[in-house]
Amino acid sequence: MVKHISLLIGLLILSSLAQAAELVETLKKIKPAVVAIGIQNPTGSPRIRLIGSGFAVSPGNRIVTNYHVVAKELDESKLEQYVVLSGQGATFRVHPIKSKQLSPAYDLALLTIPEQLPSLVVSRGPLLAEGSRIAFTGFPITQVLGLYPATHAGIIAAHTPIAIPVDNIRDLQTSMLRQLDKPYLVYQLDAVAYPGNSGSPLYRPDNGEVIGIINQVYIKTSREAVLSDPSGISYAIPSTHLLDLMNKPD
């Protein structure tokens, strides 16, 4: 019996080491494609305020992020504009945004920049099964931690329906129930994400295929607005909705 337990423990350790090595290799192709989203103000201090994360998809000049990250109207009198930042730390490039394709219903935005960056492959498969291992890479709490991509790992805890947020708290329950008549499913994750992670790619650690987009504001507000003490649960929009946006004509 002791021999069998020791063998089982040894196998579990080997499996864990193999999975860790797998993610190390996958990160080599993930990190060059991950970007930060910021607001540039030529007269402000700082000149660029980081507000979220994103990632490049084929052909390399298209950047995925959340709609809520770039939805706010900027002050034109201050020459404010949204920009994409590639690189990390003090070594980065600022990319102007040429155009946007928006999908507010799924909180997705597809930005076009002049340059091409390394891109990630977006999954065309069904929802990844509950219990599957996942990872995501982005810029958590960007204004505090700076332009240093961080990776978090966990599992898919559940497939759960989304409820759309409302402007008036008095309409909250009715509106949510109406949305749940035709819900779409999102990933609930057993992994910690932060507001700056909004727009980060959620991917398979074994091959780097993107299965979703981290969303830490829109979904959390939808699902947890009635809680006095919101949970630390993280969510992500499945990649199928991104593919729909990517396939729309400009």
Side-chain angles (χ1 to χ4, degrees):
M1 176 64 74
V2 174
K3 183 178 180 181
H4 288 161
I5 293 176
S6 297
L7 179 60
L8 178 59
I9 292 174
L11 291 174
L12 289 173
I13 291 173
L14 287 174
S15 175
S16 178
L17 290 173
Q19 291 175 4
E22 198 173 64
L23 181 55
V24 168
E25 288 303 310
T26 298
L27 275 174
K28 292 178 182 178
K29 59 182 177 183
I30 293 292
K31 289 179 68 175
V34 173
V35 300
I37 310 298
I39 296 176
Q40 186 175 52
N41 180 341
T43 61
S45 180
R47 296 289 178 89
I48 299 178
R49 179 165 59 89
L50 304 178
I51 56 174
S53 301
F55 59 97
V57 294
S58 179
N61 67 333
R62 296 195 294 176
I63 305 298
V64 178
T65 190
N66 288 143
Y67 168 76
H68 76 258
V69 172
V70 294
K72 179 184 175 183
E73 290 291 331
L74 300 183
D75 191 338
E76 293 184 1
S77 67
K78 296 180 180 178
L79 302 178
E80 288 184 335
Q81 61 178 337
Y82 289 107
V83 291
V84 172
L85 290 83
S86 61
Q88 68 176 55
T91 306
F92 63 89
R93 295 178 63 190
V94 179
H95 308 271
I97 295 170
K98 294 171 57 180
S99 63
K100 301 177 187 175
Q101 285 182 280
L102 305 174
S103 178
Y106 297 101
D107 197 32
L108 293 173
L110 193 60
L111 316 176
T112 303
I113 61 174
E115 298 82 9
Q116 289 195 347
L117 304 176
S119 61
L120 301 182
V121 175
V122 180
S123 172
R124 297 183 178 275
L127 289 178
L128 204 62
E130 295 173 345
S132 298
R133 294 185 303 112
I134 53 85
F136 55 89
T137 301
F139 298 95
I141 322 178
T142 43
Q143 278 306 105
V144 177
L145 301 181
L147 201 64
Y148 294 92
T151 298
H152 304 262
I155 65 168
I156 293 173
H159 300 156
T160 184
I162 187 175
I164 300 297
V166 294
D167 294 328
N168 193 322
I169 191 68
R170 290 174 299 181
D171 298 329
L172 187 62
Q173 282 189 316
T174 303
S175 179
M176 283 187 177
L177 288 172
R178 191 183 306 121
Q179 174 62 22
L180 290 175
D181 286 339
K182 294 182 179 180
Y184 65 89
L185 296 178
V186 297
Y187 290 119
Q188 180 177 311
L189 309 175
D190 181 22
V192 178
Y194 298 90
N197 277 123
S198 288
S200 299
L202 177 72
Y203 54 88
R204 291 177 45 163
D206 59 342
N207 62 11
E209 194 171 68
V210 175
I211 62 161
I213 302 88
I214 294 293
N215 189 305
Q216 271 309 91
V217 174
Y218 183 75
I219 301 177
K220 188 177 287 291
T221 301
S222 304
R223 296 194 57 80
E224 302 181 13
V226 296
L227 300 179
S228 59
D229 184 16
S231 73
I233 296 172
S234 302
Y235 300 96
I237 302 285
S239 60
T240 179
H241 305 300
L242 171 58
L243 288 171
D244 291 340
L245 180 60
M246 290 172 62
N247 291 330
K248 283 184 178 180
D250 293 337

